[in-house]
Every structure is written in structure tokens, then in C-alpha cells.
Amino acid sequence: MTRMESELSSWLSGTWLSDGPAVAVLAGFSGLGKSDIAYEVAERSNRPWAFENLISDNLTLDEITLNVAESLEACGSNTMADLLGGDFVASFVKSLEEPILIVLDDFHELLDEQGLPPREFRTLIHRLCTARPAPAGRLLLVTNRAVTQESWLDQAHVRRVEPPAEDHAVSLLASLLAQQDLEDEVPSERRGDVVRWLGRNPRAIQALVACLSNDSLDDLIELDRDSWGVRDEVVGPELVRHLEERFLDRTLQRISPEALALVESLSVYRKTFTKEAIQGAGAGLAGSADVEDARRELSSRFLLERRRNWFTLNPIARELARARILMDERKLRRSHARAAEYYSRHFRARNSASKMDKASEFVEARFHLLRLGQREEFDEIARGFRAQLLLVYRNIESLPKDVSAQRELLATLWAALEGEEGGSWSLRFCFARLLLARDEQDDALVAYRQITIASRESNHHDVWILRCRLAVRFEEPAITRTIIAQARERLSAGVLLQVVRVTAVALTQMGHPADALRLLEDVQQHCHQTGDAWLLYHTASVILCSQDRHKDAIAFLLKGYETLGPQRERSGRLVEESAFLAFAARDAALLGQIQQVVVGSQGRHGWVSLCEVLKLQTERKFQESADLAAGFPEYLALKAQRAFSLLCLGRASEAKSVLTGSIPVRNLETGLGWLRAVACVAAGDAPGGDETSPESAWLAEFAAAHEMAPEEVTAESLLRHWDTFAELFGGRVSFYFPWLPRELTGLDQDLIRLSSTTSALDGVDLSRLRFRNEDKPRPPAVGAVPAVAGAPFGGVPPQPGWPTIFVTTQGGPAVLPNGGTLDMGGNYNVNQAGAVGDGAQATGNTFNQVVAGKTEDLQQLSAELQRLTDQLRRQGEAGQHAQELGELEGAAAAAASGDVSGVRAHLRRSGQWALGAATSVGTALAAAWIRESVGM
């Protein structure tokens, strides 16, 4: 061991274990001895420890947990075994409250292309690093890749293992040559050159020495003469690995047939193995003596490494041997069969009270048996392990992404649940989802039976949603309504609303819109007080529109608005949707009726003005509509209609200036992203021009969102995108811009696209399609204030001779200095149509309304989010909502570090459940940030 390695080992064994942070990362190039250092630290730790080697093949979190729990239980620590089946993060955190050590070797196998581990590991590491008091246990991660420094790793201690000094590397080379009696193969005067060529990497030096038994040094140099020529320069890990692969491949070609057969057979093992496993893998050789001779040969060639009583293949040799055996199906199956026999034998005479006894053997037996398609043999083993399986998987939530891992888990749960009449609702929920993912014959029907059993014990919204979706598929609508009646007795109003909406969608898609509408009406009164009650009316209107009943849809939306009242959150969305539907019908009278409803209920001035703007557009009064919309610069729906009117007037540059600034992602995904692209094309902005310009960014964003190249964003492609009708309940551009007048397109006719019609472009000659662009300067309209980019007060400068008072407010009535009043109203957010702001009214003054952007204290937000997650965990939410809790914790960490974009990204992924939780717990600031981040 070098001096550096000795110092690092001493630091880990001493300072880190006693006083260091809970998490340490040991990083460095492959082949530098990191695993040996970590194993020595574990052995010297005088505490229960687990050393888990993550040797690829998509080890899942439950498999890692099982293996670690078994190792810890064998050392006398039962905490993780007792917590199996709970939340993955919680089980690790709770276990590490005790003075234990967990080493995860080859942690890089879990990292993605960006250097990030799975979300659960990021959450785990962040919680361990921020826990107060600090946990007594320690987690050591060993990796040969650079780990991304983000908030989840900020407080962990990262130590790098560097290649040994040149003199030490030369000494290692000399020692290995002496051991192999090959000292004459590399003269002493060339050894410095050799170790520099190999980046002073110990494992690469071993690989070279192994080759020298059959090849001269000069022969090996000829394998890569170019790299030898730059040996005195800094040698990177990729080059060293390339050389090591060349050496090891050459060695595999030169070893005996028996040794080659053994290394190929062992290459299917995913974890370290014993000498007994080697004997089993070599069962095809003539006798045990031949197996032992082959084992010694592999060890002498540095292909087989030993640590105490455990063996593992050189990782690069394993990859090479694995690649060879994958080309021979018979050899591959034979190797899996020998490995399956080795692990399965433990379960034929099993008699142990230990929860985790042979858990890792079960994991490996499952892997090999299912690779062989031996389902019956696996089921027999699983039945004997049923108690542990029910324990381990009782609260499983997320499905593996890898298809093979999904099939393994499916087989496991099938065996665990077979013959069980009740219980284990979370397992049945997971089982049903796995069946639907596989989607073979009768899988959906079996899934329906399993989810029906699960719903008897669970009120989880996802369980009931899946049950209702499958009921619509397999039952008559009357049965589905009966199930909803059961849900009404069992579920909270908020959860019931979610279930009913999904069920109504499914019924409509199956051709039962009348039953879907009846279902929505059945629960309206029950769900009236929920924050999302407006969604019932929205969903009903979409169903009615799909039946070409637009006037009925408008009436339903207005009924919902009047029922909920203008002060209810999101009720304004119902007004907006009714206005756009009336506009699509080109019905100015209907727009006037909507205005009367809003005025009669003392609704928002912006909604009244939206109807007026749309009426003006129906009359082709685009200048007047643009001027009226300009009075509401903070209201995205009117901002969009102003830009649209300007485009119809041929003033693309002005339209672009209106659309400049921050716009929520959801609005960009529906109408405003398309409108920006239209403005750019109309103005003649070339994609890929000035890459720093907003126009280039807009075109690139639109192109990326719709899987096209920026240069493919043309007038015709934008028109066809507008004409595309999305899924029944998806957002679409033509909902907000259902009418494209000839003034905009340059065509001979107007275009109208409704949800109940087919393509608006059938039979239309697009050869004259040109988005209009005149961009001629114009005098401001009477009473209008032209916006000036970069001017103060939101771009509206004071005009000469105006007695102007500028008022900045966060909402609510404001009193002007000379006695006048200003009714600012409140701030409202709507989905897809944008942020709804009120128009200002004043008496005795002339003023411009400016609504200031609200700036929050990120430290206060971090504290609230932490309080929220702590409260939710005390309420037992960790099992059902681990993913959302992890996102909330990630947001808290990002807020603490001042990372605003990170906060919004985490909160956006935390979703609607997190918003409801924040509201119920009383963390108002957190709720406000979540609402904004998810675009509500």
C-alpha cells in the first residue's frame, strides 16, 4: 500500500468513522485499489458492516436492500431487516442511526450519463448529510467516475484516489515481474517508460505482466504504438482502459481451454462468489483437479481476484468473457444453469428463523432461473421464501425501468401472492401495473382482479383510478357507476374528484359520453368544496364539445362559474374557456352573455375585457382589439390576444415585443409557444441566426418541444401544427386560436378548427400561405400608451403632459395621495390561459397600473419545506408518497443554496399532491411556490 493509500485508509478508519460526515465518496480511476482500501476500512471498523459490490446487470433497489440487510443481520444489526418493505430511503436512514458501516462498491454502475444516481439515492444522501443530530452510521460510496456536485452531495466528503508515484509504480512492476520470473522481459532502464505508458495504474501493470508470459514488451508496444509515443504526457483513464482491454483480450486468447471455459462460465455471476461456486461453474471440466488448475491459472494471470474467501473476476476480463459467451447461446444457458444450481441449493433444505437468511442467494437464484425461463423452479423457491417476499415488497411503489427487471419483479410478486385471498394491497397494485406493462394475453383481466382486491383495503387514489379505468374496459357503465358510489363512501372529496375525472375520460373514450356526464353530475355536490371543483365542469365541457354541443358546454361552464363564485380559485378558468368556445363559434351574442354573467357576479374586469377583445376580433377590428388588450399587460390571455391581433395587422415586430419576457412552461406548450414561432416566421427571423437572440431561442424551443429541427419551423408546419387535434383531453393551440383570418395567413379564406370537425386544411391551397408582415410605423391610438422595451414601470413610460401617478401594489385597494382610489383586486393564476390580473379603476386621477413581481426569502422557503416534509413523514406519508417527498426535500436543499431554478424544477415534479399537502399543513409560502411551479 502506498503512503497516500495508507493515509487515506487511516483517515477513513479514524477521523471519518468517528467524527466525519455521514457520507463519504471514494473516487478515482478504475484499477487504483479503491475497493481494497474500502474493504480494509470495513474490516477494521469494529462495527457491523456490509460490503455490497454493485456489478452491473441492473441491480434494483430492492435487491441492493436485501443484500445489505442480510450482511448487516449476519453482523448482529437487525434494523434494516426489520424495516424491509418500508420506504427505501427511510429504511437506510433509520438503519444508519446506529453505528454501522455500509460500503457500496462500484457505485458508478448506478450513475446515469450525467453522473447522477437514482432519485432515491440522491434523497437518501441528502437526508443523511443534513440530518440533525448527525447519524452514527456511515455510508461509503466507491466509484471510478466523477460524481456530479449537486445539492444532494454538497455535505458529503469526496476523496480521490490518485495513481501511485512513479517510483512506487516501478517497484510494483518489478515485484510482479519477479513473482512471475519475468524480470528479463522489461529491463530496469525501460520500467519508468512502461509505467508512465500505463498511467501508473496498478491493474493495468498487472495486465501487462500477464501478457509477458507469451509476448515480448516490444510486441505489446506494437498493439498501440501511438500511445507509447506520448507516454511522457498526461495519460487519461480512457487510454489506460483501452490498453488494459488489449492486454486482457490477448491473455484470454493465450490461456488454456479449461481456464477460458471457467472464466466464461463465471462471467454470468453478478456478485462475488466462493470457491464452491467456482467448482460449480467448472462442472463441465474433466474433474475437480482440472477446475482447481484452471482457477490457479486465472489467478496467476490476474484474471481472478481474491479477497478473503470471496472471489471476483477482473471487471474488464468479465466484460470481455461475457461478450464472448453471449455469442454462444448454448454456453450462455449452461453457465446460467450452473449459477442457478449453485444459488438454488440453499433453499432445498432451508431451516432458519432469520428474516434475511439467504436473501442474497434468493435474489441471484431468481436472476438466473428467470434468464433460463425456468418459472416453475423459481415459483418453488419463492413459495418457501414467501414470508420474506411479502415483507420486502409490502410498500413497493415505483416500477423498474428495465424490462428484464420488470419481468423478474412480476414473477416474484406472482409467486408471493399466489393463493393469498387478501392483504398486501400495495403489492397487488404494483403487480397489476406490471401486468399491464407486460400486456400479454389476459394480463389486463388478471390486473383488474388484483386491483379490485387491493381497493378493498386501500383508499389510495391511484388504486381506485386504476380500478375504475379497468372497470370501464371490462364492465358495463352501470357497474362503473356502482364502483364510483363505493368510492364516494370511502374516499375524501378531493381524491374522489380525481378518480371521477379519469373515469369520465375513460368512459368517453370507450364511447359512453352520456354516462360520463351523468357520473360528473352525480358527484358535483359532494366535491363542491374542493379546491379543484372547477375541473368537474371543465371535464364535462370537453365531453360536450366532443359531441358538437358547444352551447351546452358554455352553459355548463357558466353554471360552474356561478356555482363556485368569482372568488374561488381557478373559477376564472371556466369563464375563459366559455369565452374561447363562443369565439370559436363566431358568436358575438354569446360573448355578450358571458360578459353579463361576469358583471352580474362582480367578476374580474380582465374577463369582461377578454370577451370584448374576442368580439372585436370577430368583427375584424384588430386595431381596436389590440388597443383594448394592451390595458392588461399582466394578463396572459389578453397578452396573447393582443399579439395575435398585431399579427393579423401585419406588425410582427410589435407582436414579438408583446411576447417577450417570462412565460410559464405550460402556456408555451399550448398556445404561446406557437404564437411566438408564428411571430418569428412572420418577421422573417431565420433559425440558427444570432444564437443569442430571443427569436432563435423561441424557434429552438418550439422545434425541440415538437421533435423537429429549427429550420423545419415554417409557415406551413406551424399551420399544420395548429390544425392537429390533440387527444380528447389534451391542450391544443386551436382552442385558444380557433380562427385564423385571411389577414394573418394571406389565404383566400378564413380557417376555423373545432374539436368536433375534421381538418380545417382539407382542400385548401396553401401555395399562397404567407404570414403577413408590414411593420409600418403607426401613431398611437387615442388613449393608448405604446409599450417601450426597457422603459421603467413595465415598459409603459409617462407621456409628456400627462398628470400620471404610478402605483405599485401587491393587490388590494390602494389609496392615492390626492384622495382618489385604485381598485387593484387580487392576483390570480390560471392554467394554460396564463396569469389573470385585474384591470385598474381610478377616480380623480390618470395612472398606469403596475403589478410588482413578488420576491420571496429562499431561506424562509427552505425552512417551510423542511417543516412540511417532517410533518408529512410524521403523518406516515413516506410510504405512499416517497417520490413527492423526495422532490420536496430536494427543493428545500435547492432553496437553502439559493438555486431558484432547482427549487422550481423539484416543486414542479412534486405535483398536485404536494400542493394539497402544503395547503393542509399551513405552509402558505411553500404552497404558493408549488402552485406557481406546477403552472396552476
Side-chain angles (χ1 to χ4, degrees), residues 751-795:
L751 301 176
I752 299 176
R753 182 70 165 98
L754 303 177
S755 60
S756 57
T757 61
T758 57
S759 171
L761 302 181
D762 288 345
V764 176
D765 179 10
L766 299 182
S767 62
R768 297 182 60 184
L769 173 64
R770 299 289 188 279
F771 289 140
R772 184 181 176 190
N773 181 29
E774 296 181 0
D775 270 340
K776 295 178 180 178
R778 67 181 182 93
V782 176
V785 184
V788 178
F793 308 111

Side-chain angles (χ1 to χ4, degrees), residues 419-595:
E420 296 282 328
E421 295 299 325
S424 309
W425 71 264
S426 59
L427 267 71
R428 296 183 189 280
F429 176 47
C430 181
F431 185 35
R433 290 155 62 205
L434 288 165
L435 285 165
L436 293 174
R438 187 175 69 171
D439 196 26
E440 294 182 357
Q441 184 177 5
D442 295 331
D443 276 353
L445 185 58
V446 176
Y448 180 41
R449 292 168 183 161
Q450 290 294 326
I451 205 66
T452 300
I453 297 172
S455 67
R456 296 171 188 165
E457 301 180 7
S458 172
N459 293 337
H460 195 286
H461 65 281
D462 286 335
V463 171
W464 281 87
I465 285 173
L466 183 55
R467 181 185 177 187
C468 290
R469 278 180 46 217
L470 292 174
V472 169
R473 183 171 173 180
F474 292 109
E475 309 281 10
E476 293 296 321
I479 300 298
T480 302
R481 292 185 66 193
T482 301
I483 295 172
I484 292 296
Q486 296 174 9
R488 186 171 174 173
E489 299 298 320
R490 294 269 305 275
L491 308 179
S492 67
V495 173
L496 177 65
L497 186 148
Q498 297 180 55
V499 174
V500 169
R501 283 195 68 225
V502 173
T503 307
V505 170
L507 281 168
T508 303
Q509 292 172 334
M510 290 293 288
H512 305 292
D515 293 287
L517 292 169
R518 194 175 303 118
L519 198 64
L520 291 166
E521 290 187 86
D522 287 347
V523 299
Q524 278 177 18
Q525 191 63 36
H526 189 76
C527 298
H528 176 70
Q529 295 302 322
T530 65
D532 288 331
W534 71 277
L535 285 169
L536 292 174
Y537 300 95
H538 160 75
T539 306
S541 73
V542 176
I543 294 172
L544 288 166
C545 286
S546 72
Q547 305 301 303
D548 203 15
R549 296 170 58 187
H550 293 82
K551 289 190 176 181
D552 290 339
I554 293 172
F556 210 92
L557 289 166
L558 293 178
K559 173 189 173 184
Y561 168 74
E562 293 179 303
T563 301
L564 298 176
Q567 303 305 321
R568 283 288 290 276
E569 185 179 11
R570 309 291 288 278
S571 65
R573 172 66 187 272
L574 302 177
V575 174
E576 291 179 338
E577 291 190 1
S578 64
F580 284 120
L581 288 175
F583 178 54
R586 321 291 300 133
D587 195 327
L590 258 180
L591 287 166
Q593 293 174 24
I594 296 168
Q595 286 178 307

Side-chain angles (χ1 to χ4, degrees), residues 30 197-199 201 204 235-245:
S30 179
W197 180 41
L198 301 178
N201 187 293
V235 178
E238 295 81 8
L239 177 57
V240 173
R241 180 182 173 87
H242 169 72
L243 288 171
E244 194 174 356
E245 285 180 354

Side-chain angles (χ1 to χ4, degrees), residues 60-78:
T60 62
L61 294 180
D62 64 279
E63 292 173 337
I64 295 170
T65 308
L66 272 172
N67 292 342
V68 171
E70 180 184 9
S71 297
L72 290 174
E73 189 181 55
C75 296
S77 175
N78 300 321

Side-chain angles (χ1 to χ4, degrees), residues 250 307 330 409 923:
R250 203 168 182 89
R307 189 179 293 124
R330 289 183 59 190
L409 183 57
T923 48

